[in-house]
Amino acid sequence: MLTGRLSAGAQPWLADHVIGTAILFPAPGSSSSRCAPATRSAATRSRSLTIEAPLILPERGGVAVQVVVGAPEDGRRTVSIYSRGDDDLAWTRHAAGVLGTASAAFDLTEWPPRGAEAIDVSGTYEGLAEAGLAYGPTFRGLRVRVAGR
């Protein structure tokens, strides 16, 4: 089990991911939360992760976070991500998945792949903001390429 604490006050970049009026812990963060337990448990890659409930951060204060890795079984381990607020007694499970050892590697020596074409994504963040999805500077890295066009 690995434990930690998340708060928009201590990690201000988290406030760059807002849905409506809620500060939402980003889904890629859930993937990153699995990496440390994977390497500490001899599992070298994530096999699956299902987001079950959003992790909403309070404007003030924070949440305690636990990443729990299960015992090895057939070369795999379960992993679950939980949180609870400062005033909560119960833990909420936000994600569950499976860790395992690495299989065939991908060849990423040529990136972007041959034949990829850039797609204009200008205006995307403005359109998302109009729909209630506010992405601050930390989360504005969108670049799209389509292979084979």
Side-chain angles (χ1 to χ4, degrees), residues 2 7 20 33 35 49-50 55 66 69 92 98 128 130 132 142:
L2 282 92
S7 77
S33 299
C35 293
L49 183 71
T50 301
L55 198 167
Q66 290 183 343
V69 178
T92 299
V98 177
L128 290 169
E130 288 174 13
L142 183 61

Side-chain angles (χ1 to χ4, degrees), residues 9-10 13 19 28 35 37 54 56 62-63 65 67 87 91 100 117 121-123 131 141 149:
W13 61 270
I19 307 291
C35 293
I56 299 171
V63 296
V65 179
V67 179
D87 299 329
W91 290 90
E117 294 180 23
V121 294
S122 59
R149 287 183 108 187

Side-chain angles (χ1 to χ4, degrees), residues 17-108:
H17 193 254
V18 178
I19 307 291
T21 60
I23 300 170
L24 189 69
F25 187 68
S30 297
S31 295
S32 298
S33 299
R34 295 176 301 175
C35 293
T39 57
R40 291 177 186 225
S41 67
T44 56
R45 79 182 290 189
S46 174
R47 295 285 183 185
S48 67
L49 183 71
T50 301
I51 306 292
E52 299 173 344
L55 198 167
I56 299 171
L57 299 171
E59 290 183 31
R60 291 183 175 76
V63 296
V65 179
Q66 290 183 343
V67 179
V68 179
V69 178
E73 186 176 318
D74 296 328
R76 297 172 187 229
R77 294 174 180 259
T78 60
V79 62
S80 297
I81 301 171
Y82 299 88
S83 81
R84 72 175 180 192
D86 292 337
D87 299 329
D88 298 330
L89 297 177
W91 290 90
T92 299
R93 186 166 87 173
H94 296 281
V98 177
L99 304 171
T101 55
S103 57
F106 293 99
D107 181 10
L108 300 176

Side-chain angles (χ1 to χ4, degrees), residues 111-123:
W111 193 261
R114 188 169 306 159
E117 294 180 23
I119 295 174
D120 182 16
V121 294
S122 59

